[in-house]
Amino acid sequence: MDRFLEWLKRVDIPTLIIFLFLIALFVLAAFTKVSIPSLLSDSIRRIGMNGVLVLAMVPTIRVGTGPNFGLPVGIIGGLLGALISMQLGLAGFTGFWVAILFAILICLGIGLGYGWLLERVRGQEMMVGTYMGYSVVAFMSIMWLMLPFKNPDMIWAIGGKGLRYTLALDKYFAHILNNFLKFKIGGFEFPTGLLLFFAGACFLVHLFFRTRTGLAIDLVGQNERYAISSGVNPNKARLIAVVLSNVLAGVGIIVYAQSYGFLQLYQAPLFMTFPAVASILIGGASIKRANIRNVIVGTAIFQTLLTIALPVLSQVTRGDITEVMRLIVSNGMILYALTRTPKEAR
Amino acid sequence: MRYTLEMRNISKSFYGNQVLKNVNIAVAAGEVHGLVGENGAGKTTLMNILFGMPVIHSTGGFEGEILINNERVNIDSPRKAMEYGIGMVHQEFMLIPGFTVTENIKLNREITKDNLLSKVFGKSMRTLDFPAMRKEARQAISTIGMSIEELAVVAGLPVAHKQFVEIAREIDKKSLKILVLDEPTAVLSETEAERLLDTIRYLAGKGVAILFISHRLSEVLKVSDRITILRDGAVVDSKPSSSFTVSEIAEKMVGRKLENVVLPPRKKEPSDEDIIMSIRNLKVYMPGEMVKDFSIDVRRGEILGIGGLAGHGKLGVANGIAGMFPAEGQVYLEGKPYKLNDPSYALRNNVVYLSEDRRGVGLLLDESVEMNIAATAIEAFGQFIKKYLFMTVYDRRKIREHALEMIKKLDIRCKSPTQVVRRLSGGNQQKVCLARAFTLNPKILFVSEPTRGIDVGAKKLVLDHLVNMNREHGITIVMTSSELAELRSICDRIAIVAEGKLSAILSPKASDAEFGLAMAGELQEVLQHG
Amino acid sequence: MDKLKKVLISYAVPIAFSILCISAVLIARIPPIFLASEIVRRLSRNTFLVLSLIIPIIGGLGLNFGIVLGAMAGQAALFFVVDWKIKGLLGILVACLMASAISIVLGWLAGLTLNRAKGREMITSMILGFFANGIYQLIFLFFIGSLIPFRTKQFLLPEGVGLRNTVDLYGTVASALNNVWMVRIGTVRVFVLPLLIVAALCLFIAFLFKTKLGQDIRAVGQDMHIAEVAGINVNKVRVIAVIMSTVLAGIGQVIYLQDIGTINTYNSHEQIGLFSIAALLVGGATTRKATIWNAILGVLLFHTLFVVAPSAGNKLFGQPQVGEFFREFLAYAVIAFALAMHGWRARKILM
């Protein structure tokens, strides 16, 4: 009992509230006609689908610049990678891996530039990141109209100029991970490949933070002056963290797109940031500390919440309340993280 | 006796470390009361308590009572302090840089006029009466006998003028009963300081009770009616100033009964023949601790002490060598040129530094004991690593083994190597720092304020460990400390820094008075006169 | 020469924008009369909102992205005024009073929140805006018509719960302020009353900074610690600054919407935060310094570009869409740039 109380003290209050709310929803679901197995498989799928994007928050939080509110910057790199792969007409696993490869290359480049910029605005990374994200998305919206992509699947059917808002991936790499080693138990579907990929990404990041470079990032985030006195170059550590975050964002959006079956351009990258930030915070991270467990727990809770809330709540209330709920939960969570005083354990 | 201000039995602790012990002080109207002590003696804390500064109340308040005109008062914010007529000229300027001199002098005491809106919405909407404010500001400035343009923006003023603006602000307070001046002459030239002392006398003549804090002992002696000496957070003496001399004060400030520590013998005594590090014309740009021109030869195998008053640059030396602050000058390590401004170069050449700011620089407070011990060694030397798959990662097992060994060796009291360092006591935190330094296999260890914020029992342990490192492992130690007693207890030689320069190198057996005067930079002066 | 350089650097943003505006106008070949009438109208419509940002900047809180809270209050007030069928100037007056009342509560809450996030006020106020938007949607999409009574069925969704995407003000308070006193100069129509209100607000702000409260706000904005030591109640002053800004934004949104004539229920307030902040920055304000003139100049420049960008984009690229994305890009980029400058300078001061 004591240990349980001890554990309760360690868990964040909002995490607990959301968790309890989730359980309440499941109880509610049992009384409605919603099929729980299909809800569960839906939720599992969404965890894998969003997980890598949430993972992208880890490096910047750990290096001390807060959650990466400039996530769209990296996402753009991922989109470009996917577009190039489509333009080359590659399908299946080839298409997917080529997209990932290009995404990583492009994100490395973008990440270096973005990291250079953030270095110049130390202390304002979250704010500048947010607006850099917005600006880049608006700028790329122009680019989507102008870039010389020629594949007829990608450009507007009529008029023929500029890329479409959403590109169907059916002929390319839609569900490629989801269907890899997929199995079914009754109504419950398990997207093995997707989860393997997510687990692999988590493991790699986890491992990275045990290398000297990764440790340097940690040291800078926890105590910059300690890091300096340990011979670490904090500017370099921050740059590496930002680049890594960008690469993860780029890879993350491709994983997301293959699971969703569509590539979304124009404004869509903007809507990825806040849920990702909120997820890791719900998982118990703060704007200064985060680990892989926070990513997994947070994504699981947040995505399950969203999946289950839609069918269950729509039977109780009218209309789609989930969108509103998502706004309130995710922003409320971020607000909480920004305003809470750091725990000074003594 | 009727006192304007009495502080009775004041005690205060920061993070479990007692900085004030039962301090009593009383100032009568019209009296100038000098308050002296080494840095860390508790003067500033005492004044912060008097002024109700947030730093006191956010760290758990204090014990004891404050009486003003024999009435007990509860001062929990600067605003309260001001209401009781307490004014303070702070060590760091409390002036708003973008405001004019007038606006600063009148800050939060602006003269206002009624207008239409203020009649509806209340006082806060009253218009500022600039001409009247300007007139009074000018008056206050001329009381000091300065000519400062009252409409000039403060940011552009010379330092000395800023100091006088602070004083003018206090003079302008009509209800001023008690004025605290914390090191007001530190930034002034001699003539300016003289003018300031005149102002102090003038104010005392008007019946203001004045608390004057300064390191310039001759000034304190000149202007004060009574002097109280603080040491280690306790009052050691309080007498009329006529019964003191400069060297007596200096002696009482630093003097301690020396425990007769018998240091273990060395196989080979250090000598001037064998210099491990030679520092020439070192300049370090460390804010508040500037080193202007410092030269010394460090002998292999010795324990060299660096002492001096706060703000004179003693802390800057180690910070400069370690690359924590920009530095220039010629340094030779074992005869070879040594690269400054590069912390990793220092580490690679086994020059290790433990910061005076243990919680801010020396530790990862929210990390485990074992990680604190090992992290720097992993980063600097690639110790404790292994190959895993295709990556090189740190090896938890090796780290644990090493940490357990260190915990045993230094007797670090922790629940386990995974305990978070923040939860350890100051002494054990310092031992973790020592373990970290030891792991780096130092040739020279620069250690600053190793016993700051540590209780008495643990102090001795930490010093013992330093001596042990020196004797058993032959590590040359350069220890910077503001506690002269501890320098004298374990060092072979003690260098005193004053005004950013080497003022004297003294034997630990030199007299208290010599140390006191060397710190004040007045050693030569006395020698000339005497 | 150095002085000239300094001036050029400190006015870099407005100068660059002027050049951009002029070239866009030349490219788009917009008739000057049309442009003039558009600009005059936007000046009377948007300036009030932009001005509402000034007080928190001077109070050291940076750009108050929380003005969307005020905008929401303004919209909420208008919904009810429309529902109660209060028409004309009286409707505007009631709406302003209601908006102010709601804004005071919201501003107070926002102020308390921001006091818990010192040093990160901007990002916090932005997230606060998003969070409040969620609550706003909850109220006006799910509660209105069910928990909160609303009689005018034509503004509700078919099920009778939740507001439609647009609520129009024609026949109630649309143009109620504009129509009081209109002057025609050629074909350019000038709405005098909103302009006078803007002028009055300018005077009020100028007056405010000559009062005790204004002086406290300035002191807190320059250095919180010193202000605290001088006995100023820093937290209270900051809350007051936020409340003032929120109230002004609430009234500003009422003025804005009576001119537009329809409320875009779920979008109007969001856009207004972005465009007001961008306009102020275009006028040469920074996150720490802003004047009335920055606001006015900013509205002029930003909205000129706003008007001409689509046709300039069309002329240049053959796609009006490009122009639209371009002006959006500019709004964001200007903010990003100003924030970057803020971070850069803050760092320089530290060094």
Side-chain angles (χ1 to χ4, degrees):
Chain A
M1 193 62 204
D2 275 356
R3 285 187 66 181
F4 178 70
L5 280 177
E6 194 63 25
W7 175 81
L8 264 188
K9 264 185 214 159
R10 286 219 329 267
V11 175
D12 275 330
I13 297 162
T15 310
L16 201 67
I17 293 172
I18 292 168
F19 188 69
L20 291 178
F21 184 55
L22 195 60
I23 290 176
L25 278 177
F26 266 106
V27 173
L28 207 62
F31 289 102
T32 57
K33 279 173 282 173
V34 185
S35 117
I36 293 199
S38 84
L39 270 188
L40 276 180
S41 50
D42 223 27
S43 132
I44 294 248
R45 189 175 52 76
R46 289 178 68 155
I47 293 169
M49 181 168 164
N50 287 282
V52 185
L53 286 170
V54 180
L55 199 58
M57 295 298 154
V58 174
T60 50
I61 293 181
R62 288 183 81 137
V63 85
T65 61
N68 182 9
F69 280 95
L71 197 68
V73 178
I75 289 180
I76 293 286
L79 291 177
L80 278 169
L83 288 173
I84 293 172
S85 162
M86 285 172 80
Q87 175 68 28
L88 295 174
L90 303 172
F93 265 111
T94 329
F96 177 74
W97 288 112
V98 168
I100 295 268
L101 184 71
F102 274 108
I104 290 175
L105 288 178
I106 296 168
C107 286
L108 280 176
I110 299 178
L112 285 173
Y114 181 55
W116 176 86
L117 178 87
L118 285 190
E119 192 54 41
R120 249 123 282 269
V121 297
R122 289 279 299 115
Q124 291 290 325
E125 289 95 347
M126 288 191 270
M127 204 64 217
V128 174
T130 308
Y131 274 86
M132 270 308 289
Y134 282 131
S135 318
V136 165
V137 165
F139 177 74
M140 286 313 289
S141 298
I142 303 175
M143 286 299 118
W144 302 141
L145 289 172
M146 321 248 300
L147 285 175
F149 285 106
K150 291 283 185 302
N151 188 332
D153 284 345
M154 296 159 69
I155 53 181
W156 291 112
I158 315 151
K161 213 171 179 193
L163 293 161
R164 301 182 193 187
Y165 274 52
T166 42
L167 317 184
L169 295 176
D170 301 340
K171 288 197 237 158
Y172 301 91
F173 48 81
H175 311 301
I176 196 85
L177 285 178
N178 294 39
N179 294 340
F180 181 70
L181 295 181
K182 181 169 80 178
F183 60 85
K184 269 188 185 178
I185 306 169
F188 176 71
E189 218 179 73
F190 194 83
T192 317
L194 182 68
L195 288 194
L196 274 180
F197 190 94
F198 177 42
C202 285
F203 182 68
L204 280 182
V205 172
H206 169 74
L207 218 52
F208 172 75
F209 276 100
R210 289 183 54 191
T211 63
R212 268 163 90 174
T213 320
L215 182 65
I217 290 177
D218 261 352
L219 295 185
V220 170
Q222 287 196 38
N223 185 343
E224 186 167 345
R225 298 195 60 77
Y226 180 99
I228 295 174
S229 78
S230 297
V232 171
N233 179 347
N235 299 354
K236 205 175 118 196
R238 272 191 289 266
L239 189 65
I240 293 172
V242 171
V243 170
L244 179 61
S245 174
N246 260 284
V247 169
L248 285 171
V251 173
I253 196 67
I254 295 177
V255 173
Y256 182 92
Q258 67 79 28
S259 180
Y260 186 53
F262 297 94
L263 204 59
Q264 297 165 291
L265 303 181
Y266 298 91
Q267 304 288 318
L270 292 182
F271 304 110
M272 297 289 154
T273 316
F274 291 97
V277 177
S279 292
I280 197 165
L281 296 175
I282 287 170
S286 75
I287 55 172
K288 290 227 169 4
R289 300 209 80 169
N291 55 36
I292 305 294
R293 205 192 62 214
N294 301 140
V295 172
I296 298 171
V297 173
T299 317
I301 294 183
F302 191 56
Q303 294 302 334
T304 311
L305 181 70
L306 293 185
T307 349
I308 192 167
L310 176 62
V312 174
L313 286 183
S314 65
Q315 296 206 352
V316 184
T317 65
R318 166 207 55 85
D320 182 6
I321 202 169
T322 35
E323 193 52 33
V324 174
M325 200 184 71
R326 196 177 78 176
L327 264 178
I328 295 176
V329 170
S330 59
N331 290 307
M333 193 65 223
I334 302 172
L335 203 57
Y336 168 80
L338 284 169
T339 50
R340 76 172 176 179
T341 37
K343 267 189 203 160
E344 273 277 315
R346 264 200 67 79
Chain B
M1 175 86 192
R2 190 184 161 81
Y3 289 109
T4 305
L5 168 71
E6 261 186 284
M7 296 178 84
R8 284 189 193 155
N9 301 323
I10 305 285
S11 296
K12 165 78 193 164
S13 308
F14 282 116
Y15 307 109
N17 172 39
Q18 194 160 34
V19 292
L20 288 176
K21 288 165 229 152
N22 285 322
V23 172
N24 287 290
I25 197 165
V27 193
E31 177 188 328
V32 179
H33 195 120
L35 185 61
V36 296
E38 279 185 289
N39 248 88
K43 294 166 300 181
T44 304
T45 308
L46 188 64
M47 293 308 109
N48 282 342
I49 288 173
L50 177 61
F51 211 59
M53 293 294 258
V55 60
I56 299 297
H57 297 276
S58 63
T59 52
F62 66 97
E63 290 160 45
E65 52 183 4
I66 301 175
L67 288 87
I68 289 177
N69 290 332
N70 293 343
E71 250 177 73
R72 221 189 131 163
V73 294
N74 173 25
I75 300 174
D76 54 7
S77 69
R79 198 172 19 224
K80 268 278 188 56
M82 269 174 265
E83 280 164 21
Y84 286 118
I86 303 172
M88 183 147 169
V89 174
H90 299 267
Q91 208 167 358
E92 75 273 29
F93 296 122
M94 287 293 172
L95 297 172
I96 293 185
F99 274 19
T100 62
V101 170
T102 303
E103 284 172 312
N104 267 301
I105 287 177
K106 284 290 183 186
L107 185 61
N108 204 27
R109 296 181 301 107
E110 292 89 352
I111 305 168
T112 54
K113 295 186 292 206
D114 258 324
N115 60 45
L116 210 68
L117 280 179
S118 73
K119 284 184 182 140
V120 186
F121 292 104
K123 266 195 205 150
S124 65
M125 289 308 276
R126 289 165 72 126
T127 336
L128 304 184
D129 185 353
F130 259 100
M133 282 164 63
R134 198 178 154 186
K135 207 175 120 216
E136 292 197 5
R138 156 147 257 152
Q139 222 166 25
I141 295 168
S142 60
T143 316
I144 322 172
M146 290 296 290
S147 56
I148 302 172
E149 174 57 45
E150 72 273 12
L151 291 184
V153 175
V154 161
L157 292 181
V159 195
H161 283 195
K162 286 185 190 166
Q163 186 73 73
F164 280 106
V165 171
E166 285 244 320
I167 292 160
R169 184 185 65 210
E170 300 310 320
I171 290 175
D172 185 59
K173 292 178 180 167
K174 299 291 175 288
S175 61
L176 188 68
K177 279 192 279 212
I178 300 155
L179 178 61
V180 181
L181 297 121
D182 194 356
E183 296 281 356
T185 56
V187 296
L188 302 184
S189 71
E190 224 159 281
T191 40
E192 286 164 341
E194 205 50 57
R195 178 167 287 154
L196 186 115
L197 296 187
D198 286 342
T199 313
I200 291 175
R201 291 191 192 99
Y202 163 83
L203 283 171
K206 281 176 58 180
V208 177
I210 291 174
L211 259 170
F212 181 63
I213 302 173
S214 177
H215 279 315
R216 295 190 179 174
L217 300 182
S218 48
E219 277 175 14
V220 178
L221 210 52
K222 217 188 299 179
V223 77
S224 310
D225 301 310
R226 198 181 172 84
I227 294 174
T228 295
I229 303 172
L230 276 183
R231 191 206 301 150
D232 282 346
V235 175
V236 288
D237 206 351
S238 182
K239 275 192 287 195
S241 54
S242 52
S243 53
F244 283 116
T245 65
V246 170
S247 47
E248 267 172 23
I249 299 175
E251 200 177 318
K252 291 219 155 122
M253 263 165 66
V254 298
R256 278 181 192 86
K257 267 176 242 133
L258 281 187
E259 296 162 43
N260 266 334
V261 191
V262 183
L263 297 173
R266 289 189 176 90
K267 284 183 214 112
K268 181 174 166 258
E269 283 303 306
S271 75
D272 283 334
E273 310 294 293
D274 190 8
I275 300 299
I276 187 164
M277 180 181 262
S278 160
I279 301 170
R280 289 288 170 271
N281 308 102
L282 182 73
K283 291 194 183 72
V284 183
Y285 304 94
M286 176 177 174
E289 287 280 345
M290 295 286 243
V291 180
K292 286 162 192 158
D293 184 0
F294 182 84
S295 305
I296 199 164
D297 285 330
V298 184
R299 305 189 292 198
R300 187 187 301 278
E302 74 171 336
I303 302 183
L304 173 69
I306 299 184
L309 294 171
H312 282 252
K314 68 170 182 294
L315 291 173
V317 176
N319 272 298
I321 299 288
M324 297 301 288
F325 284 94
E328 56 182 272
Q330 294 81 49
V331 178
Y332 301 92
L333 179 66
E334 299 181 309
K336 287 191 279 292
Y338 170 89
K339 203 164 123 205
L340 288 167
N341 303 317
D342 186 349
S344 71
Y345 176 87
L347 285 172
R348 272 182 276 122
N349 286 283
N350 304 83
V351 176
V352 175
Y353 160 70
L354 286 185
S355 171
E356 67 283 357
D357 186 0
R358 195 168 55 236
R359 297 169 68 90
V361 181
L363 290 170
L364 303 163
L365 286 173
D366 295 311
E367 232 356 306
S368 62
V369 170
E370 57 182 5
M371 213 51 201
N372 267 284
I373 294 176
T376 307
I378 298 171
E379 283 302 328
F381 299 121
Q383 279 181 24
F384 312 116
I385 56 170
K386 64 172 179 188
K387 288 264 178 215
Y388 185 78
L389 298 180
F390 52 93
M391 289 204 215
T392 311
V393 299
Y394 57 77
D395 186 339
R396 291 231 169 99
R397 205 171 45 82
K398 281 191 207 157
I399 293 174
R400 177 68 50 87
E401 272 169 22
H402 178 77
L404 285 172
E405 192 191 319
M406 280 294 155
I407 287 170
K408 202 165 148 211
K409 192 173 162 129
L410 293 175
D411 190 23
I412 301 171
R413 303 282 166 85
C414 56
K415 282 190 207 137
S416 82
T418 55
Q419 194 180 11
V420 170
V421 164
R422 189 188 288 281
R423 291 170 202 260
L424 299 182
S425 71
N428 282 311
Q429 288 181 348
Q430 186 63 296
K431 284 186 204 161
V432 172
C433 290
L434 286 177
R436 169 187 168 218
F438 202 75
T439 306
L440 294 168
N441 202 11
K443 267 186 205 149
I444 308 188
L445 173 63
F446 284 83
V447 49
S448 297
E449 305 286 8
T451 62
R452 181 187 278 178
I454 292 180
D455 48 63
V456 184
K459 273 185 187 181
K460 192 171 167 334
L461 284 176
V462 167
L463 295 180
D464 284 349
H465 282 303
L466 286 172
V467 171
N468 182 277
M469 285 165 101
N470 175 260
R471 296 300 196 271
E472 306 248 304
H473 301 273
I475 299 166
T476 310
I477 295 178
V478 179
M479 173 163 109
T480 311
S481 173
S482 40
E483 291 205 26
L484 204 51
E486 74 183 32
L487 290 176
R488 294 167 86 179
S489 68
I490 71 165
C491 292
D492 298 290
R493 302 184 295 159
I494 298 166
I496 301 294
V497 180
E499 310 275 345
K501 289 177 186 150
L502 181 66
S503 147
I505 299 180
L506 298 168
S507 144
K509 296 189 184 66
S511 73
D512 288 349
E514 266 181 283
F515 274 108
L517 294 173
M519 283 181 174
E522 289 173 14
L523 188 59
Q524 281 85 357
E525 230 172 277
V526 172
L527 291 179
Q528 274 160 21
H529 292 299
Chain C
M1 196 56 214
D2 267 357
K3 215 172 169 186
L4 184 73
K5 216 169 148 188
K6 240 180 162 172
V7 170
L8 280 181
I9 289 171
S10 54
Y11 292 100
V13 178
I15 291 170
F17 242 78
S18 307
I19 296 169
L20 204 61
C21 277
I22 293 166
S23 21
V25 169
L26 291 179
I27 292 166
R29 288 206 217 106
I30 296 236
I33 297 291
F34 169 74
L35 187 61
S37 68
E38 272 296 311
I39 296 304
V40 169
R41 179 155 188 185
R42 280 158 188 267
L43 212 51
S44 67
R45 180 205 289 167
N46 294 63
T47 316
F48 198 98
L49 274 165
V50 178
L51 287 169
S52 74
L53 289 163
I54 292 179
I55 296 170
I57 291 182
I58 295 178
L61 290 133
L63 301 167
N64 182 17
F65 289 84
I67 61 163
V68 291
L69 267 68
M72 287 175 207
Q75 277 164 219
L78 278 175
F79 293 143
F80 290 105
V81 166
V82 169
D83 188 37
W84 299 331
K85 308 235 161 29
I86 308 173
K87 289 181 183 167
L89 273 183
L90 183 66
I92 296 282
L93 193 69
V94 173
C96 283
L97 287 177
M98 267 181 71
S100 304
I102 303 172
S103 295
I104 288 174
V105 177
L106 292 180
W108 177 66
L109 290 174
L112 293 182
T113 310
L114 295 187
N115 275 344
R116 288 182 58 102
K118 287 187 182 134
R120 327 185 255 274
E121 289 93 348
M122 284 196 273
I123 183 92
T124 307
S125 72
M126 190 176 84
I127 302 292
L128 190 63
F130 292 145
F131 178 71
N133 192 27
I135 306 281
Y136 174 91
Q137 289 192 16
L138 192 66
I139 293 173
F140 291 103
L141 208 50
F142 293 97
F143 291 167
I144 206 147
S146 55
L147 296 177
I148 305 166
F150 200 83
R151 283 172 306 179
T152 320
K153 295 288 173 244
Q154 85 232 37
F155 293 146
L156 294 178
L157 290 167
E159 297 93 341
V161 177
L163 286 172
R164 281 174 187 276
N165 273 334
T166 52
V167 168
D168 80 67
L169 304 175
Y170 291 106
T172 47
V173 294
S175 298
L177 286 176
N178 290 1
N179 293 339
V180 172
W181 182 9
M182 191 181 72
V183 176
R184 246 176 227 283
I185 305 169
T187 54
V188 180
R189 295 183 305 167
V190 181
F191 303 120
V192 183
L193 189 57
L195 283 176
L196 284 179
I197 294 173
V198 167
L201 178 60
C202 289
L203 287 178
F204 171 75
I205 290 174
F207 168 79
L208 176 70
F209 287 105
K210 288 197 165 53
T211 64
K212 173 74 182 110
L213 177 64
Q215 189 77 355
D216 288 353
I217 293 177
R218 283 178 63 213
V220 170
Q222 293 240 346
D223 194 316
M224 273 194 268
H225 178 60
I226 297 177
E228 184 82 56
V229 171
I232 296 171
N233 188 340
V234 170
N235 283 343
K236 192 174 144 202
V237 168
R238 283 162 56 100
V239 170
I240 291 176
V242 176
I243 290 179
M244 283 181 141
S245 169
T246 316
V247 168
L248 290 177
I251 297 171
Q253 185 74 353
V254 172
I255 296 174
Y256 172 81
L257 289 173
Q258 64 84 28
D259 181 291
I260 296 276
T262 53
I263 306 176
N264 203 333
T265 314
Y266 304 108
N267 274 336
S268 289
H269 52 282
E270 287 293 317
Q271 288 169 354
I272 223 58
L274 168 68
F275 291 143
S276 302
I277 286 168
L280 186 66
L281 294 172
V282 166
T286 66
T287 49
R288 302 200 55 85
K289 242 181 89 204
T291 64
I292 295 161
W293 298 111
N294 293 141
I296 295 170
L297 180 66
V299 172
L300 266 176
L301 287 175
F302 188 72
H303 283 279
T304 307
L305 200 69
F306 214 88
V307 174
V308 300
S311 26
N314 198 11
K315 286 258 162 58
L316 271 184
F317 304 102
Q319 272 172 300
Q321 252 190 323
V322 172
E324 253 162 59
F325 283 130
F326 183 66
R327 78 180 172 191
E328 195 179 311
F329 166 68
L330 278 180
Y332 290 128
V334 159
I335 298 179
F337 178 76
L339 292 168
M341 291 298 289
H342 172 71
W344 188 60
R345 272 199 204 128
R347 211 167 146 230
K348 260 188 137 177
I349 292 165
L350 282 178
M351 308 250 292

